[in-house]
């Protein structure tokens, strides 16, 4: 006799087992370098500045890369922006290569080069931002908003009509940072970004990085080895003898 859901032997029926949870799917890298080689010089004076560099940067990550001057940090970033072409290897930004859609590729990148490059002495601060919005493919309907946002975020509102050659070093660096993010890029490539910035400027830079990370973007920050950084890195590397190694 059976009753109450029991078998004739008095035991409960076997309960169905829950299906196993699917394994988590790793996010595709937002930046991917694969086997990057780059040489400088010619003939007997030719040498490899990058030797098979591999690096994958997931969404939401801030990566630090250190190294001595001439180690290859800037070369790696310039390859990522397609300013330079690697001798071997590939680089992809958000799954795109520069060959497969130049405009869409560059819309995703904000590149801050080292030094004081990229400014026109006679252009005003506002003129720089207006020009950057155009060449960075910001929709025309958002040009004014993008310019005003850059002025406010980087403390440049009172300097909007001042020419670049009449700015201090710190003010020029703030302007260069504003130009780097005017189009809200998914990937920031920063080459020694803290140069000439005071504490207030470093705070503006840190908030810009936080905004990119919050939007599931990615940041690569290159700096001289041993330099104190105002932001935390999810992973740190060093370029030494052309190879990228964990710091």
């Amino acid at each position: 006799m059976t009753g109450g859901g029991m078998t004739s032997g008095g035991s409960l029926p076997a309960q169905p087992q829950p299906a196993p949870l699917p394994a988590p799917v790793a996010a595709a890298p937002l930046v991917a370098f694969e086997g990057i080689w780059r040489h400088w010089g010619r003939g007997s004076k030719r040498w490899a500045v990058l030797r098979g560099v591999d690096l994958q940067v997931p969404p939401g990550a801030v990566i630090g890369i250190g190294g001595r001057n001439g180690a290859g940090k800037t070369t790696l970033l310039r390859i990522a922006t397609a300013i330079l072409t690697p001798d071997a290897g590939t680089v992809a930004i958000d799954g795109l290569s520069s060959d497969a859609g130049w405009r869409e590729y560059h819309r995703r990148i904000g590149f801050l080069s080292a030094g004081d490059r990229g400014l026109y002495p006679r252009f005003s601060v506002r003129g720089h931002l207006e020009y950057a919005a155009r060449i960075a493919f910001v929709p025309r309907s958002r040009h004014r908003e993008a310019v005003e946002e850059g002025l406010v975020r980087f403390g440049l509102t009172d300097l909007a009509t001042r020419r670049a050659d009449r700015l201090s070093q710190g003010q020029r660096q703030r302007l260069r940072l504003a130009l780097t993010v005017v189009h809200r890029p998914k990937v920031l490539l920063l080459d020694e970004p803290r140069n000439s910035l005071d504490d207030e400027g470093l705070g503006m830079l840190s908030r810009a990085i936080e905004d990119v990370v919050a939007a599931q973007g990615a940041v690569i920050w290159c700096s001289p080895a041993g330099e104190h950084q105002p932001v935390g890195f999810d992973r740190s590397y060093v370029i030494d003898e052309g190879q990228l190694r964990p710091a």
Side-chain angles (χ1 to χ4, degrees):
M1 177 178 179
T2 61
M6 298 183 69
T7 66
S8 58
S11 60
L12 292 172
Q15 298 297 312
Q17 297 298 311
L21 294 174
V25 177
L30 203 52
V31 184
F33 297 94
E34 294 187 3
I36 300 294
W37 282 78
R38 176 69 191 198
H39 295 79
W40 291 115
R42 294 182 179 180
S44 62
K45 295 184 178 180
R46 192 168 186 256
W47 78 97
V49 66
L50 296 175
R51 300 172 178 267
V53 170
D54 294 313
L55 176 64
Q56 294 190 339
V57 184
V62 181
I63 302 300
I65 301 178
R68 59 176 175 78
N69 289 338
K73 305 183 301 296
T74 297
T75 298
L76 187 65
L77 293 188
R78 288 168 71 86
I79 287 173
T81 64
I83 295 172
L84 293 177
T85 302
D87 296 323
T90 62
V91 58
I93 302 290
D94 198 18
L96 296 176
S97 73
S98 59
D99 295 333
W102 189 90
R103 175 170 176 159
E104 288 304 314
Y105 184 89
H106 284 272
R107 285 179 64 178
R108 289 161 165 76
I109 298 171
F111 175 48
L112 179 71
S113 61
D116 199 15
R117 302 170 186 165
L119 299 183
Y120 300 93
R122 295 179 180 274
F123 266 35
S124 69
V125 169
R126 183 182 294 277
H128 274 91
L129 285 164
E130 290 172 344
Y131 178 65
R134 289 197 299 272
I135 66 173
F137 313 116
V138 174
R140 291 184 63 85
S141 61
R142 214 183 70 78
H143 273 199
R144 178 172 294 184
E145 176 189 352
V147 170
E148 295 303 322
E149 183 178 276
L151 293 173
V152 171
R153 289 181 70 189
F154 293 93
L156 299 169
T157 302
D158 292 341
L159 303 170
T161 60
R162 187 172 299 183
R163 286 173 26 168
D165 59 359
R166 295 177 180 172
L167 299 174
S168 69
Q169 289 283 357
Q171 290 165 346
R172 283 200 289 271
Q173 187 70 345
R174 288 190 190 187
L175 174 57
R176 295 174 73 242
L177 288 168
L179 301 178
T180 301
V181 300
V182 69
H183 56 302
R184 297 180 181 174
K186 295 188 73 171
V187 174
L188 285 185
L189 306 172
L190 306 175
D191 197 2
E192 302 187 15
R194 64 172 298 156
N195 284 351
S196 303
L197 290 178
D198 57 14
D199 289 343
E200 185 179 13
L202 289 173
M204 295 172 182
L205 170 59
S206 296
R207 286 189 290 276
I209 290 173
E210 289 169 0
D211 289 345
V212 171
V213 170
Q216 287 299 289
V219 180
I220 300 178
W221 174 308
C222 290
S223 60
E227 181 180 82
H228 175 71
Q229 306 304 344
V231 298
F233 298 142
D234 296 293
R235 283 181 278 160
S236 296
Y237 298 89
V238 63
I239 294 182
D240 183 38
E241 296 184 354
Q243 296 183 324
L244 189 69
R245 300 168 180 158

